[in-house]
């Protein structure tokens, strides 16, 4: 098809229109560039510390649980690199910060998987293969997370998690104290839609037994086909008044298993677990006046409390056949967790404060 011949006047008008279009950026002068650089070099204003005690505590929680999704991937990779607690030729172990999702999804701007290629290059050079996830942690959970340096090692470690060869331990600050102080929660879990004015889904218990109203005895019931086996071992490490700190060992790996077993199985929800402190509604966790006073909060500000669940300890069996040593990994809890322990007069036994090692 032959090209059409446009009048020169039409072409000149089109060029003038393009040149004056707002889409064309105005050249930046040297003076404007210098001013921009001066603005960037100015020290950032330090947030003013509120005089009100409650507002001070809220500001503290907000700063300590800052949203990592707002960071550029390169900056986030530097944060994760700074939090590395162990590395060898096969794996890298990081301390996952609070509020950082592992995988992408609706509303997620940045997650751990997004920065794995950048982190790998920071550690082993520009030609390094991207790191691989070996397991997952919830967005609000902090602590030990294992990454593999190649796909074969990743599959090997994933299989170890799947076949329960990996020993995992968590610390959690809970509302109340479970009775007995040490035991095993063996109740299946399933996901269920909550029937309320605000439709949402939650994990919940799906027990194999029910209490007979006639003779008050337990009767076995048919297992729900959607329920997954879930077993959690727990032990009270310290308690004071309205709260306690627990060591938890999930034998299985069901979504939100620890949170559900503590809240619905033992009646001791995790401090800051706003999702599982209620069943029929989405609302901030309701705390006693004594707990609020110790934390320096008011109930209207309780929504700022972060989830106090920390993956503290992980033991990996030998990854390669030529290795004989297990790897014991210990990760210290975040600042907000330590401060809550102090304010609630709870403590972790000295025997729990070990260093990462192999044996």
């Amino acid at each position: 098809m032959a090209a059409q011949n446009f009048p020169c006047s039409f072409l000149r008008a089109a060029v003038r229109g393009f040149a004056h279009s707002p889409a064309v950026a105005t050249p930046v002068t040297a003076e404007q560039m210098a001013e921009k650089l001066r603005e960037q070099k100015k020290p950032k204003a330090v947030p003013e510390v509120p005089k009100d005690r409650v507002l001070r505590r809220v500001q503290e929680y907000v700063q300590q649980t800052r949203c990592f999704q707002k960071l550029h991937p390169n900056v986030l990779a530097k944060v994760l690199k700074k939090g590395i607690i162990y590395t060898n030729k096969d794996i890298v172990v990081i301390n996952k910060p609070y509020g950082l999702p592992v995988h992408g999804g609706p509303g997620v701007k940045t997650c751990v998987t997004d920065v794995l290629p950048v982190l790998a290059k920071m550690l082993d050079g520009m030609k390094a293969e991207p790191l691989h996830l070996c397991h997952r942690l919830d967005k609000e959970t902090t602590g030990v997370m294992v990454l593999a340096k190649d796909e074969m090692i990743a599959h090997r470690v994933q299989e170890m998690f799947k076949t329960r060869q990996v020993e995992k331990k968590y610390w959690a600050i809970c509302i109340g104290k479970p009775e007995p102080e040490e035991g095993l929660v063996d109740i299946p879990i399933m996901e269920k839609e909550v029937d309320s004015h605000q439709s949402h889904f939650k994990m919940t218990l799906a027990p194999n037994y029910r209490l007979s109203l006639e003779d008050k005895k337990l009767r076995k019931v048919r297992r729900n086909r959607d329920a997954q086996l879930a077993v959690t071992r727990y032990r009270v490490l310290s308690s004071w008044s309205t709260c306690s700190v627990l060591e938890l060992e999930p034998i299985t790996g069901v979504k939100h298993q620890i949170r559900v077993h503590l809240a619905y199985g033992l009646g001791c929800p995790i401090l800051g677990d706003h999702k599982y402190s209620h069943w029929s509604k989405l609302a901030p966790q309701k705390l006693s006046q004594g707990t609020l006073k110790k934390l320096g909060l008011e109930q209207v500000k309780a929504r700022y409390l972060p989830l106090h669940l920390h993956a503290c300890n992980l033991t990996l069996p030998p990854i390669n056949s030529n290795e004989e040593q297990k790897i014991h990994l210990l990760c210290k809890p975040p600042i907000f967790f330590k401060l809550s322990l102090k304010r609630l007069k709870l403590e972790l036994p000295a025997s729990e404060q070990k260093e990462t090692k192999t044996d």
Side-chain angles (χ1 to χ4, degrees), residues 19 51 61 83 107 118 139 149 153-154 162-163 212 215 252 289-290 296 319 332:
K51 294 181 180 179
Y61 280 126
V118 182
K139 174 184 172 182
K149 292 189 176 181
I153 295 296
K162 189 176 180 180
T163 54
S212 172
D215 55 11
T252 53
Q289 284 300 316
I319 297 174
K332 294 180 180 179

Side-chain angles (χ1 to χ4, degrees), residues 122-244:
M122 286 181 177
L123 294 173
D124 297 319
M126 296 305 292
K127 294 184 179 180
E129 179 185 342
L131 293 166
H132 301 266
L133 287 173
C134 296
H135 61 117
R136 66 182 297 277
L137 288 176
D138 291 340
K139 174 184 172 182
E140 296 86 1
T141 304
T142 60
V144 180
M145 171 161 275
V146 182
L147 308 172
K149 292 189 176 181
D150 65 56
E151 195 170 359
M152 184 182 72
I153 295 296
H155 287 314
R156 199 172 295 170
V157 177
Q158 287 165 5
E159 188 62 25
M160 289 176 179
F161 275 93
K162 189 176 180 180
T163 54
R164 301 173 190 172
Q165 298 178 56
V166 180
E167 296 174 26
K168 301 170 288 181
K169 289 184 180 179
Y170 292 73
W171 289 329
I173 298 178
C174 297
I175 306 301
K177 185 176 75 169
E179 294 290 345
E181 293 190 5
E182 185 172 350
L184 191 77
V185 182
D186 184 359
I187 308 176
I189 290 174
M190 63 179 288
E191 190 170 36
K192 190 175 180 181
E193 185 174 7
V194 179
D195 186 15
S196 69
H197 69 284
Q198 195 174 1
S199 181
H200 59 286
F201 286 84
K202 285 184 182 179
M203 304 301 288
T204 188
L205 301 176
N208 293 329
Y209 295 85
R210 66 176 177 84
L211 185 66
S212 172
L213 297 176
E214 297 175 357
D215 55 11
K216 305 298 181 183
K217 291 184 179 180
L218 288 177
R219 304 289 185 190
K220 192 165 185 178
V221 297
R222 181 180 296 177
R223 183 187 166 197
N224 191 303
R225 73 168 87 182
D226 297 322
Q228 301 178 68
L229 294 175
V231 183
T232 306
R233 186 176 286 116
Y234 73 91
R235 177 168 66 100
V236 176
L237 299 177
S238 174
S239 63
W240 178 268
S241 186
T242 58
C243 296
S244 58

Side-chain angles (χ1 to χ4, degrees), residues 38-53:
R38 280 194 293 271
E39 286 294 326
Q40 290 176 352
K41 289 181 179 180
K42 283 183 180 179
K44 293 183 179 179
V46 179
E48 185 179 347
V49 178
K51 294 181 180 179
D52 182 78
R53 182 189 177 196

Side-chain angles (χ1 to χ4, degrees), residues 237-354:
L237 299 177
S238 174
S239 63
W240 178 268
S241 186
T242 58
C243 296
S244 58
V245 57
L246 273 61
E247 177 187 81
L248 301 138
E249 186 178 350
I251 309 303
T252 53
V254 180
K255 178 183 176 183
H256 296 174
Q257 173 180 317
I258 291 176
R259 297 165 67 179
V260 173
H261 273 171
L262 286 178
Y264 302 150
L266 295 174
C268 298
I270 299 173
L271 181 65
D273 194 349
H274 308 292
K275 181 167 186 171
Y276 290 106
S277 290
H278 314 277
W279 169 251
S280 60
K281 59 182 178 179
L282 294 170
Q285 187 175 49
K286 183 76 173 175
L287 299 173
S288 68
Q289 284 300 316
T291 303
L292 289 168
K293 186 176 179 180
K294 287 177 183 176
L295 293 171
L297 282 174
E298 294 176 355
Q299 183 58 47
V300 292
K301 301 295 183 183
R303 67 183 183 275
Y304 290 102
L305 269 173
L307 181 73
H308 287 64
L309 178 62
H310 177 68
C312 61
N313 205 321
L314 192 145
T315 302
L316 281 172
I319 297 174
N320 288 309
S321 55
N322 58 347
E323 294 178 351
E324 297 180 359
Q325 297 179 330
K326 288 185 177 181
I327 302 173
H328 298 282
L329 303 158
L330 180 81
C331 186
K332 294 180 180 179
I335 294 173
F336 72 81
F337 196 103
K338 294 178 182 177
L339 289 175
S340 294
L341 285 173
K342 184 178 179 180
R343 287 166 185 149
L344 296 168
K345 296 184 179 181
L346 299 170
E347 56 184 20
L348 298 169
S351 59
E352 304 295 329
Q353 311 287 340
K354 303 171 186 175

